[in-house]
Each structure stands twice: as structure tokens, then as C-alpha cells.
Amino acid sequence: GPRHPHPITPAHRRLFRENALLAELNGAVDGSDAAGLRRLAERYRAEFPEDAQQLQAGYFLIADCLDGAGVDTRARAERYFAEERASLLRRYVQRHCLR
């Protein structure tokens, strides 16, 4: 049969797994599931330790906020929001930590 125009490589498979995990993480955030978010964030950190450490930190921060933001958590959220200007999680940090 016809060849695939560009074969699926291990790098492609890795990216597909990471994107699926990010979708699960975002689903846990949307569902306000702090325990599930922590579990998934640990998995993200274990499977992709070199990738997007600010994202990993952001997910743990949001989990802390879902459990009840104290003074320290709010300060960390304000710092994350101010410093991580390009983060995809800024809107979640704002919604769950800074309102």
C-alpha cells in the first residue's frame, strides 16, 4: 500500500503522550480535582522531567489553590502570574488562585 508521507517516529509518539497527559491535567483543573491534579502532575514530572518545568510548577500551584489558598499560596500565585507571562496556565492561576 501507499507509504505514509512522513513516518510516525518515537518523538511523535512521545509528543502525543505528552499532549494527552496535558489534556488530562487541564481536565482535572476544570473539574477542580486537586487530588487528581496532583497525581497527574507527579506523572507529568516523572515522565517528562526535562519539559516545561514552569508548567509542572503551575499545576502543583493550582492544586494548592484548589485545596484552599492561604497567604503563602496566594503570594506564590501572584509571583507565578507576574513572572510566567507566556504560560498557558496563567488564566487558571488567575481563576483558581487570585479571585
Side-chain angles (χ1 to χ4, degrees):
R3 290 188 63 172
H4 193 278
H6 51 284
I8 303 298
T9 66
H12 287 104
R13 286 186 193 90
R14 182 181 190 284
L15 184 60
F16 297 153
R17 283 193 325 271
E18 185 175 11
N19 285 340
L21 182 53
L22 290 170
E24 287 184 71
L25 283 157
N26 290 337
V29 171
D30 289 338
S32 297
D33 179 7
L37 182 56
R38 276 199 183 82
R39 186 182 69 253
L40 291 166
E42 285 292 342
R43 188 171 132 208
Y44 184 33
R45 184 178 281 166
E47 290 183 30
F48 304 96
E50 71 287 350
D51 286 357
Q53 292 182 359
Q54 97 284 357
L55 273 180
Q56 294 172 10
Y59 283 117
F60 283 106
L61 172 62
I62 294 166
D64 290 345
C65 293
L66 290 172
D67 279 341
V71 173
D72 178 56
T73 304
R74 182 167 179 94
R76 289 176 28 230
E78 288 171 352
R79 189 170 42 256
Y80 188 94
F81 192 81
E83 293 174 2
E84 300 298 338
R85 307 279 304 173
S87 176
L88 302 173
L89 297 180
R90 283 183 90 229
R91 70 173 182 249
Y92 290 126
V93 169
Q94 184 178 35
R95 181 180 310 143
H96 295 289
C97 302
L98 300 176
R99 289 192 180 178

